[in-house]
Amino acid sequence: MKYIFVTGGVVSSLGKGLTAASLGTLLENRGLKVTLQKFDPYLNVDPGTMNPYQHGEVYVLNDGAETDLDLGHYERFTKSSLSRFNNLTSGQVYQTVLDKERRGEYLGKTVQVIPHVTDEIQKRILEIGERTQADVVITEIGGTTGDIEGLPFLEAIREFALDVGPSNAIFVHVTYVPFIKAAGELKTKPTQQSVAKLREIGIAPQILVCRCEQPLNKELRQKISLFCNVPYEGVIEEKDVDHSIYEVPLMLQRERMDELVCRLLHLDTQGPEMSVWQDILRKLIAPQHQVRIGVVGKYVGLNDAYKSVFEAISHGGVANDCGVQIEKVDAEEIEKVGAEKILKGLCGILVPGGFGERGIEGKVLAAQYAREQNVPYLGLCLGMHIATIEFARNVLGLAKADSTEFQPDTAFPVIALLDEQKNVINKGGTMRLGAQACQLKVGTKAAHLYGAFLVHERHRHRYEFNNAFREQFEAADFIFSGTSPDGKLMELIELNNHPFYMASQFHPEFQSKPNAPHPLFRGFIAAALIHLHQQTR
């Protein structure tokens, strides 16, 4: 088994996750089985209770693990089926070590960072390899080289690489080569300092992936090679992409990075077959059509807060050979000026998941506008709650109908807390999480889009539709097109007398890939395209 460790230097948000995922794509397309994992140095046990503005979205896996958003990149770019064992935080490591100490498993020894913490980290690297039987394990170390909290992880991978030998483990360092506008040139000193910091720890990277705004010329590559003690061919240019993150694998292929990795790890493979990826990119760069989609949220100030949603929308565009211009709409702005002023002219409206009361009434107004103006609507988790509340108020006449999440004493609690959630005290990892079965109703739009009657979708929520109101809704042609197999939980809704008005209790965005767009997003963009053609007749 071969191991690739991806570290980052100079600044955060360099795209280590995208680099790791792109390398995974190239190796997979060379016929290798790849798995990826992310080590996060923060002390939270998982990101489940962290504010999206602090951490970006929480990405949920099939087994219910709440993980870092980079695992979304891993699943979208590769065929890897990930689990909670693919994400590790300092909080998880220290919790495990301290639990062992309390049970007396260290036999009275002094518990220390080295070897006890580093041993636990190395166990996770071995464990993921054993569980997946992969040819290559790619491990991304979160944070920036030099951060205090990241040192145990760097020490652990240094020891691990020493144990398995140089032909079985390599280090890839993602760094930043800034362009100084006043000087009109790229500067290599930050990269030199970052590599020097790694070498102090005992890690000598074999490959440097240089993030840059301008191309690296031969002279700069030679300079980086000399001062960082990396072969010239190991200096990889990763220039800012012009159109889409899905350009990155092809960019790294042009730099022959995958070829170098295979040579360093003594992997005998043929060149990658990337024709499918090239076709995806063509549809993203030069699509036949173009639509505008409004995403009405409360965290629109940070792209990463809705990362999987934005990517799934683009996948829906690929499926329809249609470019998508995403308009980020702050729900609180709708509350101030009204829905029509902001949403008029959009080809589709999407309300994503979220928590808390802020911006809720703006989202309700957006759902009402979409329903009344026959604009395609897709609601995700909270977006289904919003559609339900709006329908109850404005169609069923249940004035001030609401969710007990926002109004605990509402007279018409059309959305209410799950029974099993009522006595929950801890907030982390206690929601309804992970892949759950959903039975689709024969003859519905949902069944047509999926081409199936039983599907499995990922959840992350505490509140559900209140079945006490089910008959009232159904009598008004509010269709529950997807339910749990026992029929007790409402999973998917749609309206018959509307071109496309659907909302799910689950998060379909977590299972969408550029080469396998999710059916709901594919259908949503198709409906948006029809709406555009009708508007321009």
Side-chain angles (χ1 to χ4, degrees), residues 9-154:
V10 184
V11 294
S12 60
S13 301
L14 275 180
K16 296 190 301 297
L18 277 173
T19 301
S22 298
L23 179 57
T25 302
L26 293 171
L27 295 178
E28 264 195 357
N29 283 279
R30 281 177 168 267
L32 297 167
K33 185 177 181 183
V34 178
T35 193
L36 300 98
Q37 62 183 169
K38 173 76 181 288
F39 289 170
D40 278 306
Y42 54 74
L43 283 174
N44 303 67
V45 173
D46 60 47
T49 57
M50 294 169 73
N51 188 311
Y53 278 125
Q54 285 276 316
H55 186 266
E57 75 171 4
V58 175
Y59 188 80
V60 180
L61 303 176
N62 278 336
D63 66 358
E66 295 174 292
T67 67
D68 182 79
L69 61 83
D70 277 319
L71 273 78
H73 293 315
Y74 303 163
E75 287 202 329
R76 284 188 286 272
F77 277 68
T78 70
K79 299 172 186 173
S80 297
S81 180
L82 307 182
S83 72
R84 63 183 66 254
F85 297 100
N86 294 80
N87 196 195
L88 181 68
T89 71
S90 288
Q92 292 174 23
V93 174
Y94 284 108
Q95 188 176 62
T96 300
V97 169
L98 292 174
D99 286 346
K100 286 185 175 181
E101 185 274 332
R102 291 289 81 188
R103 293 193 299 266
E105 291 186 25
Y106 295 119
L107 303 176
K109 292 178 182 176
T110 302
V111 180
Q112 297 175 292
V113 172
I114 302 172
H116 301 105
V117 170
T118 52
D119 281 354
E120 283 300 325
I121 295 168
Q122 291 180 61
K123 280 181 185 176
R124 181 61 69 90
I125 301 169
L126 289 170
E127 185 173 25
I128 199 63
E130 291 169 359
R131 284 177 174 273
T132 61
Q133 291 298 300
D135 299 310
V136 181
V137 177
I138 302 176
T139 303
E140 176 194 349
I141 310 299
T144 306
T145 299
D147 295 344
I148 292 173
E149 59 265 30
L151 290 175
F153 289 96
L154 294 176

Side-chain angles (χ1 to χ4, degrees), residues 331 334-335 357-366 386 393 402:
I334 294 179
E335 293 175 358
E357 192 177 354
R358 181 170 64 84
I360 290 300
E361 292 305 317
K363 295 179 184 182
V364 170
L365 289 172
I386 294 299
R393 291 179 185 177
D402 217 322

